Amino acid sequence: MVMEDAEAPHHMLLLRNFMAQGLVLGQPLLYSSPARDPRGFLGTLPSPAASKDDKSRERDPDQEKGLRIAWQYKKYLGESQLDGQRDSKHEYSNEFDLRKPLERHFINGPRIDCVSIQDCPDLSTLRDRCATFLSQFPRNDGSISCAGRIAIQSFCAPQCAYSNMEWDMLSFIRYLKSMVRSSNSVAIITFPPLLSPSFCKRWQHMADTLLSVKAIQDEDKELAQLLTGYQDMVGFLNVHKVARINTQVPVILEATTFSIKLQKRRYLVLECLNQAPVDGSSGTSYGTSGGWSSSSKTGNLDF
């Protein structure tokens, strides 16, 4: 579960990366939204960022003529073998280009189901669609052939007819949680801060992993002096709870608050907070990055 921020839609960044990652890997997706046409949101999903290896393989057209004779050796390998090598390499991508939309063949796939919860008088329709979707991924003792993803945006939005049925929404979350536990699937639910305090606590208790996003106020001079890389930050990600199934040993994280950055205004980066130098000048961030960016920087003097 992701607790939204009323001031900024930073939860949409997490939701877009979650959905795009599943579609790129060929995983079925069920997307639910209070919008009237939820399928239109698929056009805003980002495309995977090109890795350094892919960029190095791009050849200059002027050099193609000089390599034409060398490429004739491909006939000894066979076209089928070359095509198999290209198709077999499909990395698990964590970085997506927010300015580049996802290719159409990913969005128009037959294994994508979109549900609008705007005009639903109750949660029975969404419950039936989730049950039908999750029935495709029974959890067996054998290997996992495929996994499904469920993304529910703004579950208790005021435009939904059931937004005042707090007990029904809590019952649906309990039902969805039990269904996900018995299948090879994962679900993410975002909800705005519109619930009563008591029901908000109940929702947080039901979540396996609980996150919250918080926007940064414009030109916060105090934060700019305290944190490095403040100019790239757009918000904070707080980790309140991490899933621990069938155990009572808690997870002790190295950090529970991460900065949400837009690197080059294109790539979403989750990074540990780092204190700025004493003089307040912005320096290079040496903390380890997580989430949708696995890159980390190290300096000669790293204290």
Side-chain angles (χ1 to χ4, degrees), residues 12 15 31-39 41 114-119 126 151-155 157 159-160 162:
M12 302 299 291
L15 202 63
Y31 172 60
S32 176
S33 169
R36 189 170 298 275
D37 184 17
R39 185 168 288 273
F41 178 74
C114 296
V115 183
S116 176
I117 56 178
Q118 181 177 1
D119 299 329
L126 182 60
I152 301 178
Q153 174 193 344
S154 301
F155 181 53
Q159 56 265 40
C160 299
Y162 60 83

